[in-house]
């Protein structure tokens, strides 16, 4: 289908996302029962996922955001830039990194190392999407919503040059 001049194809529906987000929230609520973890959302892409995930959690939790950039258009630029750091003190805290998508793995590697440097009690990684054919990471991502093929995707927070984030489902950007 066409939207704002872009050819897109739905690959994950709103209903599928809602169901999976609830499953992940339930697992986190069990894993961190009797703790108060701090969710760190990776801006901008994770803002919708973060909001939905938090609201499905049944335990108390806090949140903060970090802003990173590694992408321009449909290509990773190969280096990670820190645009906004967290404000919270995560020393001795259970940290949950909330990422929209893991593509090459560069961003998550950078983030995990950086946050580990602050001496948290634990770091758990949650990614809504993972491109396993591309991702070069030597550890298991703790929670993955969906594994997808190595195509460029938009919607549910994910953008193409800052646009299309507000689409409710996840779409493959064609062409
Ligand atoms: P990585 O560092 O290559 O793993 O890329 C991670 C970041 O690039 C994600 O947080 C997204 O912001 C962005 N990104 C990677 N793949 C896509 C995509 O298919 N659509 C939109 N953004 C993407
Ligand atoms: Mg991102």
């Amino acid at each position: 289908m066409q939207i704002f001049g872009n050819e897109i194809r739905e690959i994950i529906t709103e209903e599928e996302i809602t169901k999976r987000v609830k499953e992940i929230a339930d697992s986190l609520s069990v894993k961190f029962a009797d703790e108060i973890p701090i969710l760190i959302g990776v801006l901008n892409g994770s803002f919708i996922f973060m909001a939905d995930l938090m609201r499905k959690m049944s335990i108390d939790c806090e949140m903060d955001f970090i802003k990173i950039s590694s992408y321009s258009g449909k290509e990773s630029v190969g280096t990670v830039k820190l645009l906004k750091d967290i404000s919270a003190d995560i020393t001795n805290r259970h940290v949950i990194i909330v990422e929209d998508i893991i593509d090459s793995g560069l961003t998550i590697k950078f983030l995990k190392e950086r946050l580990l440097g602050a001496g948290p009690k634990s770091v758990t990684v949650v990614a809504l999407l993972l491109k396993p054919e591309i991702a070069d990471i030597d550890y298991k991502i703790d929670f993955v919503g969906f594994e997808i093929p190595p195509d460029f995707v938009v919607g549910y927070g994910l953008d193409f040059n800052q646009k299309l984030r507000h689409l409710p489902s996840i779409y493959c950007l064609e062409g």
Side-chain angles (χ1 to χ4, degrees):
M1 65 185 258
Q2 280 269 124
I3 187 143
F4 313 129
N6 301 281
E7 184 62 30
I8 57 172
R9 177 173 47 86
E10 189 177 56
I11 61 164
I12 306 170
T13 66
E14 259 186 278
E15 291 70 26
E16 288 168 324
I17 296 169
T18 304
K19 181 167 171 275
R20 190 71 188 111
V21 169
K22 173 76 165 80
E23 286 170 0
I24 297 173
D26 286 346
S27 303
L28 291 172
S29 301
V30 170
K31 179 169 178 178
F32 295 104
D34 306 319
E35 307 282 353
I36 303 179
I38 176 159
L39 283 77
I40 310 271
V42 187
L43 292 171
N44 291 332
S46 76
F47 81 111
I48 292 179
F49 177 41
M50 176 85 154
D52 285 349
L53 185 67
M54 253 192 118
R55 284 180 295 175
K56 294 292 179 210
M57 287 178 61
S58 56
I59 55 165
D60 205 358
C61 57
E62 296 176 18
M63 55 155 279
D64 199 355
F65 284 105
I66 192 165
K67 187 165 184 172
I68 297 285
S69 113
S70 70
Y71 252 68
S72 170
K74 288 167 82 170
E75 302 294 330
S76 169
V77 295
T79 50
V80 178
K81 236 183 6 197
L82 180 71
L83 302 178
K84 179 215 168 284
D85 206 351
I86 52 169
S87 324
D89 179 5
I90 58 166
T91 307
N92 236 355
R93 298 293 307 272
H94 290 291
V95 168
I96 303 173
I97 303 177
V98 180
E99 180 56 303
D100 53 355
I101 184 165
I102 297 175
D103 184 53
S104 68
L106 203 69
T107 304
I108 199 65
K109 264 194 210 160
F110 171 88
L111 270 174
K112 199 172 172 183
E113 270 166 40
R114 186 176 170 89
L115 297 179
L116 278 170
K121 206 177 270 178
S122 68
V123 175
T124 296
V125 178
V126 178
L128 179 67
L129 304 172
L130 169 69
K131 297 179 186 172
E133 288 164 51
I134 305 183
D136 175 22
I137 21 182
D138 42 22
Y139 48 85
K140 198 180 154 287
I141 301 302
D142 303 284
F143 296 95
V144 172
F146 303 91
E147 292 195 351
I148 60 166
D151 301 318
F152 195 80
V153 292
V154 294
Y156 197 71
L158 291 127
D159 72 305
F160 172 52
N161 282 340
Q162 302 305 325
K163 298 188 182 69
L164 307 177
R165 292 193 197 275
H166 58 306
L167 304 179
S169 315
I170 293 167
Y171 302 84
C172 177
L173 187 64
E174 314 263 50

PDB file of all heavy atoms in Angstrom, residues 76-99:
ATOM      1  N   SER A  76      23.098   2.532   8.258  1.00  0.00           N
ATOM      2  CA  SER A  76      23.824   2.823   9.486  1.00  0.00           C
ATOM      3  C   SER A  76      25.087   3.564   9.073  1.00  0.00           C
ATOM      4  O   SER A  76      25.715   3.227   8.070  1.00  0.00           O
ATOM      5  CB  SER A  76      24.197   1.512  10.185  1.00  0.00           C
ATOM      6  OG  SER A  76      25.106   1.773  11.221  1.00  0.00           O
ATOM      7  N   VAL A  77      25.487   4.597   9.846  1.00  0.00           N
ATOM      8  CA  VAL A  77      26.703   5.326   9.483  1.00  0.00           C
ATOM      9  C   VAL A  77      27.939   4.664  10.103  1.00  0.00           C
ATOM     10  O   VAL A  77      29.062   5.098   9.878  1.00  0.00           O
ATOM     11  CB  VAL A  77      26.654   6.830   9.855  1.00  0.00           C
ATOM     12  CG1 VAL A  77      25.590   7.540   9.052  1.00  0.00           C
ATOM     13  CG2 VAL A  77      26.403   7.040  11.342  1.00  0.00           C
ATOM     14  N   GLY A  78      27.701   3.621  10.893  1.00  0.00           N
ATOM     15  CA  GLY A  78      28.826   2.814  11.397  1.00  0.00           C
ATOM     16  C   GLY A  78      29.462   3.322  12.683  1.00  0.00           C
ATOM     17  O   GLY A  78      30.296   2.652  13.256  1.00  0.00           O
ATOM     18  N   THR A  79      29.074   4.502  13.135  1.00  0.00           N
ATOM     19  CA  THR A  79      29.576   4.990  14.418  1.00  0.00           C
ATOM     20  C   THR A  79      28.392   5.443  15.259  1.00  0.00           C
ATOM     21  O   THR A  79      27.382   5.877  14.719  1.00  0.00           O
ATOM     22  CB  THR A  79      30.518   6.205  14.257  1.00  0.00           C
ATOM     23  OG1 THR A  79      29.878   7.157  13.424  1.00  0.00           O
ATOM     24  CG2 THR A  79      31.848   5.815  13.673  1.00  0.00           C
ATOM     25  N   VAL A  80      28.540   5.332  16.566  1.00  0.00           N
ATOM     26  CA  VAL A  80      27.446   5.671  17.467  1.00  0.00           C
ATOM     27  C   VAL A  80      27.765   6.988  18.157  1.00  0.00           C
ATOM     28  O   VAL A  80      28.866   7.189  18.638  1.00  0.00           O
ATOM     29  CB  VAL A  80      27.260   4.551  18.506  1.00  0.00           C
ATOM     30  CG1 VAL A  80      26.159   4.897  19.482  1.00  0.00           C
ATOM     31  CG2 VAL A  80      26.956   3.241  17.807  1.00  0.00           C
ATOM     32  N   LYS A  81      26.790   7.885  18.172  1.00  0.00           N
ATOM     33  CA  LYS A  81      26.966   9.181  18.826  1.00  0.00           C
ATOM     34  C   LYS A  81      25.978   9.297  19.979  1.00  0.00           C
ATOM     35  O   LYS A  81      24.797   8.994  19.817  1.00  0.00           O
ATOM     36  CB  LYS A  81      26.682  10.298  17.808  1.00  0.00           C
ATOM     37  CG  LYS A  81      27.839  11.249  17.679  1.00  0.00           C
ATOM     38  CD  LYS A  81      27.677  12.449  16.767  1.00  0.00           C
ATOM     39  CE  LYS A  81      26.378  12.757  16.135  1.00  0.00           C
ATOM     40  NZ  LYS A  81      26.497  13.692  15.015  1.00  0.00           N
ATOM     41  N   LEU A  82      26.466   9.729  21.147  1.00  0.00           N
ATOM     42  CA  LEU A  82      25.581   9.942  22.287  1.00  0.00           C
ATOM     43  C   LEU A  82      25.009  11.359  22.192  1.00  0.00           C
ATOM     44  O   LEU A  82      25.740  12.333  22.267  1.00  0.00           O
ATOM     45  CB  LEU A  82      26.370   9.781  23.589  1.00  0.00           C
ATOM     46  CG  LEU A  82      25.585   9.971  24.876  1.00  0.00           C
ATOM     47  CD1 LEU A  82      24.631   8.811  25.105  1.00  0.00           C
ATOM     48  CD2 LEU A  82      26.522  10.107  26.060  1.00  0.00           C
ATOM     49  N   LEU A  83      23.704  11.470  22.019  1.00  0.00           N
ATOM     50  CA  LEU A  83      23.080  12.786  21.852  1.00  0.00           C
ATOM     51  C   LEU A  83      22.459  13.300  23.147  1.00  0.00           C
ATOM     52  O   LEU A  83      22.333  14.487  23.351  1.00  0.00           O
ATOM     53  CB  LEU A  83      22.006  12.725  20.756  1.00  0.00           C
ATOM     54  CG  LEU A  83      22.491  12.280  19.377  1.00  0.00           C
ATOM     55  CD1 LEU A  83      21.334  12.212  18.399  1.00  0.00           C
ATOM     56  CD2 LEU A  83      23.568  13.222  18.842  1.00  0.00           C
ATOM     57  N   LYS A  84      22.012  12.377  24.009  1.00  0.00           N
ATOM     58  CA  LYS A  84      21.450  12.768  25.312  1.00  0.00           C
ATOM     59  C   LYS A  84      21.698  11.628  26.287  1.00  0.00           C
ATOM     60  O   LYS A  84      21.320  10.499  26.020  1.00  0.00           O
ATOM     61  CB  LYS A  84      19.942  13.018  25.190  1.00  0.00           C
ATOM     62  CG  LYS A  84      19.268  13.402  26.494  1.00  0.00           C
ATOM     63  CD  LYS A  84      17.847  12.831  26.604  1.00  0.00           C
ATOM     64  CE  LYS A  84      17.267  12.950  27.995  1.00  0.00           C
ATOM     65  NZ  LYS A  84      17.801  11.975  28.974  1.00  0.00           N
ATOM     66  N   ASP A  85      22.322  11.936  27.408  1.00  0.00           N
ATOM     67  CA  ASP A  85      22.622  10.899  28.401  1.00  0.00           C
ATOM     68  C   ASP A  85      21.441  10.729  29.361  1.00  0.00           C
ATOM     69  O   ASP A  85      20.549  11.576  29.392  1.00  0.00           O
ATOM     70  CB  ASP A  85      23.895  11.290  29.175  1.00  0.00           C
ATOM     71  CG  ASP A  85      24.622  10.073  29.728  1.00  0.00           C
ATOM     72  OD1 ASP A  85      24.064   8.952  29.667  1.00  0.00           O
ATOM     73  OD2 ASP A  85      25.743  10.241  30.230  1.00  0.00           O
ATOM     74  N   ILE A  86      21.452   9.657  30.145  1.00  0.00           N
ATOM     75  CA  ILE A  86      20.417   9.492  31.169  1.00  0.00           C
ATOM     76  C   ILE A  86      20.641  10.513  32.285  1.00  0.00           C
ATOM     77  O   ILE A  86      21.762  10.994  32.476  1.00  0.00           O
ATOM     78  CB  ILE A  86      20.414   8.065  31.763  1.00  0.00           C
ATOM     79  CG1 ILE A  86      21.819   7.640  32.241  1.00  0.00           C
ATOM     80  CG2 ILE A  86      19.889   7.072  30.763  1.00  0.00           C
ATOM     81  CD1 ILE A  86      21.836   6.379  33.051  1.00  0.00           C
ATOM     82  N   SER A  87      19.595  10.816  33.013  1.00  0.00           N
ATOM     83  CA  SER A  87      19.707  11.718  34.163  1.00  0.00           C
ATOM     84  C   SER A  87      19.748  10.930  35.462  1.00  0.00           C
ATOM     85  O   SER A  87      20.250  11.413  36.473  1.00  0.00           O
ATOM     86  CB  SER A  87      18.511  12.668  34.231  1.00  0.00           C
ATOM     87  OG  SER A  87      18.097  13.030  32.955  1.00  0.00           O
ATOM     88  N   ALA A  88      19.181   9.724  35.435  1.00  0.00           N
ATOM     89  CA  ALA A  88      19.070   8.923  36.661  1.00  0.00           C
ATOM     90  C   ALA A  88      20.418   8.347  37.084  1.00  0.00           C
ATOM     91  O   ALA A  88      21.296   8.132  36.245  1.00  0.00           O
ATOM     92  CB  ALA A  88      18.086   7.789  36.415  1.00  0.00           C
ATOM     93  N   ASP A  89      20.557   8.104  38.383  1.00  0.00           N
ATOM     94  CA  ASP A  89      21.723   7.396  38.905  1.00  0.00           C
ATOM     95  C   ASP A  89      21.368   5.900  38.902  1.00  0.00           C
ATOM     96  O   ASP A  89      20.458   5.473  39.603  1.00  0.00           O
ATOM     97  CB  ASP A  89      22.015   7.877  40.334  1.00  0.00           C
ATOM     98  CG  ASP A  89      23.211   7.165  40.940  1.00  0.00           C
ATOM     99  OD1 ASP A  89      23.878   6.375  40.225  1.00  0.00           O
ATOM    100  OD2 ASP A  89      23.472   7.391  42.134  1.00  0.00           O
ATOM    101  N   ILE A  90      22.080   5.126  38.086  1.00  0.00           N
ATOM    102  CA  ILE A  90      21.727   3.703  37.960  1.00  0.00           C
ATOM    103  C   ILE A  90      22.652   2.793  38.767  1.00  0.00           C
ATOM    104  O   ILE A  90      22.567   1.569  38.663  1.00  0.00           O
ATOM    105  CB  ILE A  90      21.696   3.255  36.477  1.00  0.00           C
ATOM    106  CG1 ILE A  90      23.049   3.503  35.791  1.00  0.00           C
ATOM    107  CG2 ILE A  90      20.557   3.944  35.727  1.00  0.00           C
ATOM    108  CD1 ILE A  90      23.174   2.790  34.450  1.00  0.00           C
ATOM    109  N   THR A  91      23.533   3.381  39.561  1.00  0.00           N
ATOM    110  CA  THR A  91      24.431   2.577  40.391  1.00  0.00           C
ATOM    111  C   THR A  91      23.604   1.689  41.307  1.00  0.00           C
ATOM    112  O   THR A  91      22.670   2.152  41.959  1.00  0.00           O
ATOM    113  CB  THR A  91      25.337   3.503  41.246  1.00  0.00           C
ATOM    114  OG1 THR A  91      25.964   4.425  40.368  1.00  0.00           O
ATOM    115  CG2 THR A  91      26.388   2.706  41.991  1.00  0.00           C
ATOM    116  N   ASN A  92      23.929   0.383  41.272  1.00  0.00           N
ATOM    117  CA  ASN A  92      23.230  -0.581  42.124  1.00  0.00           C
ATOM    118  C   ASN A  92      21.757  -0.790  41.777  1.00  0.00           C
ATOM    119  O   ASN A  92      21.002  -1.294  42.597  1.00  0.00           O
ATOM    120  CB  ASN A  92      23.341  -0.134  43.592  1.00  0.00           C
ATOM    121  CG  ASN A  92      23.943  -1.239  44.420  1.00  0.00           C
ATOM    122  OD1 ASN A  92      24.182  -2.338  43.913  1.00  0.00           O
ATOM    123  ND2 ASN A  92      24.185  -0.966  45.682  1.00  0.00           N
ATOM    124  N   ARG A  93      21.357  -0.374  40.586  1.00  0.00           N
ATOM    125  CA  ARG A  93      19.953  -0.541  40.166  1.00  0.00           C
ATOM    126  C   ARG A  93      19.849  -1.650  39.120  1.00  0.00           C
ATOM    127  O   ARG A  93      20.796  -1.923  38.391  1.00  0.00           O
ATOM    128  CB  ARG A  93      19.430   0.764  39.536  1.00  0.00           C
ATOM    129  CG  ARG A  93      19.419   1.970  40.459  1.00  0.00           C
ATOM    130  CD  ARG A  93      18.436   1.827  41.594  1.00  0.00           C
ATOM    131  NE  ARG A  93      17.096   1.511  41.138  1.00  0.00           N
ATOM    132  CZ  ARG A  93      16.173   2.420  40.806  1.00  0.00           C
ATOM    133  NH1 ARG A  93      16.452   3.703  40.902  1.00  0.00           N
ATOM    134  NH2 ARG A  93      14.972   2.050  40.400  1.00  0.00           N
ATOM    135  N   HIS A  94      18.656  -2.250  39.041  1.00  0.00           N
ATOM    136  CA  HIS A  94      18.370  -3.172  37.952  1.00  0.00           C
ATOM    137  C   HIS A  94      17.924  -2.335  36.754  1.00  0.00           C
ATOM    138  O   HIS A  94      16.904  -1.645  36.823  1.00  0.00           O
ATOM    139  CB  HIS A  94      17.262  -4.152  38.339  1.00  0.00           C
ATOM    140  CG  HIS A  94      17.683  -5.147  39.365  1.00  0.00           C
ATOM    141  ND1 HIS A  94      18.595  -6.147  39.091  1.00  0.00           N
ATOM    142  CD2 HIS A  94      17.348  -5.282  40.673  1.00  0.00           C
ATOM    143  CE1 HIS A  94      18.789  -6.876  40.182  1.00  0.00           C
ATOM    144  NE2 HIS A  94      18.049  -6.379  41.164  1.00  0.00           N
ATOM    145  N   VAL A  95      18.711  -2.400  35.682  1.00  0.00           N
ATOM    146  CA  VAL A  95      18.451  -1.586  34.494  1.00  0.00           C
ATOM    147  C   VAL A  95      17.864  -2.457  33.381  1.00  0.00           C
ATOM    148  O   VAL A  95      18.330  -3.568  33.144  1.00  0.00           O
ATOM    149  CB  VAL A  95      19.776  -0.934  34.016  1.00  0.00           C
ATOM    150  CG1 VAL A  95      19.626  -0.323  32.634  1.00  0.00           C
ATOM    151  CG2 VAL A  95      20.249   0.118  35.017  1.00  0.00           C
ATOM    152  N   ILE A  96      16.834  -1.937  32.734  1.00  0.00           N
ATOM    153  CA  ILE A  96      16.254  -2.627  31.570  1.00  0.00           C
ATOM    154  C   ILE A  96      16.377  -1.689  30.373  1.00  0.00           C
ATOM    155  O   ILE A  96      15.728  -0.639  30.333  1.00  0.00           O
ATOM    156  CB  ILE A  96      14.760  -2.979  31.801  1.00  0.00           C
ATOM    157  CG1 ILE A  96      14.588  -3.844  33.061  1.00  0.00           C
ATOM    158  CG2 ILE A  96      14.192  -3.689  30.577  1.00  0.00           C
ATOM    159  CD1 ILE A  96      13.129  -4.087  33.450  1.00  0.00           C
ATOM    160  N   ILE A  97      17.232  -2.030  29.420  1.00  0.00           N
ATOM    161  CA  ILE A  97      17.363  -1.209  28.209  1.00  0.00           C
ATOM    162  C   ILE A  97      16.206  -1.563  27.273  1.00  0.00           C
ATOM    163  O   ILE A  97      15.982  -2.747  26.980  1.00  0.00           O
ATOM    164  CB  ILE A  97      18.705  -1.462  27.487  1.00  0.00           C
ATOM    165  CG1 ILE A  97      19.903  -1.194  28.414  1.00  0.00           C
ATOM    166  CG2 ILE A  97      18.804  -0.611  26.219  1.00  0.00           C
ATOM    167  CD1 ILE A  97      21.267  -1.484  27.784  1.00  0.00           C
ATOM    168  N   VAL A  98      15.473  -0.550  26.829  1.00  0.00           N
ATOM    169  CA  VAL A  98      14.329  -0.776  25.944  1.00  0.00           C
ATOM    170  C   VAL A  98      14.657  -0.188  24.573  1.00  0.00           C
ATOM    171  O   VAL A  98      14.706   1.023  24.392  1.00  0.00           O
ATOM    172  CB  VAL A  98      13.043  -0.141  26.518  1.00  0.00           C
ATOM    173  CG1 VAL A  98      11.860  -0.388  25.592  1.00  0.00           C
ATOM    174  CG2 VAL A  98      12.754  -0.696  27.910  1.00  0.00           C
ATOM    175  N   GLU A  99      14.899  -1.073  23.619  1.00  0.00           N
ATOM    176  CA  GLU A  99      15.336  -0.656  22.279  1.00  0.00           C
ATOM    177  C   GLU A  99      14.262  -1.035  21.262  1.00  0.00           C
ATOM    178  O   GLU A  99      13.567  -2.036  21.420  1.00  0.00           O
ATOM    179  CB  GLU A  99      16.679  -1.356  22.015  1.00  0.00           C
ATOM    180  CG  GLU A  99      17.362  -1.107  20.707  1.00  0.00           C
ATOM    181  CD  GLU A  99      17.668   0.337  20.344  1.00  0.00           C
ATOM    182  OE1 GLU A  99      16.715   1.136  20.310  1.00  0.00           O
ATOM    183  OE2 GLU A  99      18.826   0.637  20.022  1.00  0.00           O
TER     184      GLU A  99
END
